[in-house]
Amino acid sequence: MSDKNSQTYDVVVIGAGPVGENVADRTSAAGLRTIIVESELIGGECSYWACEPSKALLRPVLLHAEAARFPGVDSAVTGPLDAHAVLKHRDRMSADWNDSGQVEWLESAGIALIRGYGRLAGTRQVTVETPDGETVRLTARHAVAVCTGTSAALPPLPGLDSVRPWTSREATSAQKVPQRLAILGAGVVATEMATAWQALGSQVTLIAREPRLLTRVESFAAELVERQLRKVGVDLRFDTTITSADRAGGPDDGIHLTLGDGSRIVADELLLATGRAPRTEDVGLDTVGLTPGEWLTTDDTFTVTAVEGDWLYAVGDVNRRALLTHQGKYQARIAGAVIADRARGLDLDTGPWGRHAGTADLVAVPQVIFTDPEIAAVGLTTDDAARTGRAVDVVDYDIGSVAGAIQHDPSYQGRARLLIDPERRVVVGATFAGAGVAELLHSATIAITGEIPLERLWHAVPSFPTISEIWLRLLETYRDDQYPRINAATTTY
C-alpha cells in the first residue's frame, strides 16, 4: 500500500451523521487531528431520512389540524392539504439530499473527510474502500469512534423480496402520495407516518401485533393518538400481523397482504416500521474480537467495554442506550471530551463540566412523538415503576382545563402526568399529551435531571396564560394529596 493510501490521524470517526459529526467536532476543537469516514451523505439518517424530513411532513399536518379546530380560522380551512407543496417543503428541509452544506461545515471545523466504506482492521486501524475502488488505511493515534447508527429491522415475511417494501427511508422521502398505504408496526415511526400520509391523501391501514399503539408510553397518551387516527380515517388493526405479501401482477395491481386473522388488504405501498438493527454487520468487528451484527456495549464514557486499551468508542444508536438523535449528540459531546482528555493524560473526573459520564441515558431521556396530539415524555412511566417495584406517587391533570391551553384551542384535548418519588420528593417521570406540549418537555427534563425538590419547584412560576401553567396545577393537585401511590404490590391509581 502506497504512502498516500496509508494515513495517520489522532482520531478516526466512522459515520458522519449528527453523532459522528459531534464527536469529530469536539476532538478537532481540542486540537486532535480528526478524520471522518462516510459512505453516504454527510449529515446521516437524521438530516435526510428521519428527523428533518419526517417533521417537515408532520408540521403542516398538525398546523392544518389545529387551524381546522379553531373558531374564526376553521372557516378559512376550506380544503385538504396541498400535498405537492408539503413534499416540496420536505425536499427543501432535506437540502434536496445534497450534502454540500455539511461538507462546508466539516471544512470550517478543520475536520478531514474521506468518502467510502469504513471498517475496523485491528487495533486503532480502519480501512476505507473509496468510490473509485482504492483502499485507504487509516491509523488512529488515540481513538476510533464507531458512529454507524442503525438500519431498519425487517421481519421474516414471505414474499418480501417481490414486494419491495418501504422502510422509514422511503416513507420520509417518497415523491408521490400512495393512494393506499399499509403500515406494519405500532411504534413512533408507524404512528407518525400514519398521521402524515393519511393527511396527505393516503388511505392508511395500520397493522400491529400489539393490542395498542405506542406501548412504551403512558396508555392515556396512546389512547388520545388512537382516537384521533380513527377520527381522520386510519384503519387500525390490532393483535394481528401480516402472514404473506405479494405483488400479484404489475406495479399498478398493488400489494396483496394476508393478515393473521385471515383478512386480506390491498395496498399500493407497504411500510415496515418494525424496529431497528445496529449497522455493525460489516464494519470489521471480528478484527477486534467482537461479533459482527451485534450492538456495541459501552460504559458511561462510551468506551467499548469488550475491547482493551480504551481506544474504541461506540456512540449513538449503535450502542442501544437511547435510540434518539439528541441523545446520540449528547453522548458524542461526552465521548469527544473523554477522547480529548485521555489523549492529554487528564483525569476524567475533574473537568470544568464535571465528571465525563453519560448519566442522562439512565434517568432522563426526553422524547417527543409528533402525532396529533403530540406526546412528550421523559423519565419513568407508571409501567416502568410497577415493573421495577418502585414506589411513586402519580399525579394527573386535564391540560384542557388550563387557561393557556384553551387559548391554544377552545376544544383542547390533552392530559399530563407526573411521577414523584415520595421519599426524595422529586419528579422522576413526566408525560404530556396534547397540542403544543413538545415545548413543555425541557422543563420536565431539567426537573428530573436536577433532582429539584418539590419545595423549590413550587417557586418556579409559570407564565399566564400559557400551557406551562399545567406545572402549577399538577403541583397543586399533589399538594392536596388526591392521588394514591403505586408500588410493587399495586398498580392501580
Side-chain angles (χ1 to χ4, degrees), residues 54-79:
S54 67
K55 303 318 166 280
L57 291 174
L58 285 159
R59 178 56 184 152
V61 169
L62 300 179
L63 186 62
H64 183 268
E66 289 181 33
R69 294 192 288 259
F70 204 94
V73 180
D74 54 348
S75 59
V77 182
T78 57

Side-chain angles (χ1 to χ4, degrees), residues 190-201:
T191 51
E192 287 190 346
M193 290 299 97
T195 300
W197 287 106
Q198 181 75 24
L200 290 170

Side-chain angles (χ1 to χ4, degrees), residues 81 130 147 166 169 191 220 287 304 329 335 356 421 448 461 484:
L81 285 167
T130 67
C147 307
W166 280 7
R169 282 195 168 196
T191 51
F220 74 82
T287 68
V304 176
K329 292 164 71 173
H356 297 315
D421 184 316
I448 295 172
V461 180

Side-chain angles (χ1 to χ4, degrees), residues 425 452-462 471-480:
R425 292 181 61 78
I452 302 172
L454 296 186
E455 290 74 13
R456 288 304 308 155
L457 198 57
W458 178 257
H459 295 282
V461 180
W471 276 99
L472 174 59
R473 302 303 172 216
L474 287 162
L475 294 176
E476 284 179 331
T477 302
Y478 185 63
R479 182 194 60 186
D480 294 340

Side-chain angles (χ1 to χ4, degrees), residues 339-377:
I339 292 168
D341 281 1
R342 280 178 171 161
R344 293 178 291 197
L346 300 179
D347 187 338
L348 300 184
D349 292 336
T350 58
W353 288 83
R355 183 171 182 267
H356 297 315
T359 57
D361 291 338
L362 306 176
V363 298
V365 176
Q367 181 175 21
V368 178
I369 304 173
F370 293 89
T371 45
D372 183 11
E374 289 178 345
I375 300 173

Side-chain angles (χ1 to χ4, degrees), residues 146-164:
V146 177
C147 307
T148 50
T150 60
S151 57
L154 302 183
L157 179 63
L160 197 60
D161 291 342
S162 65
V163 168
R164 301 182 301 279

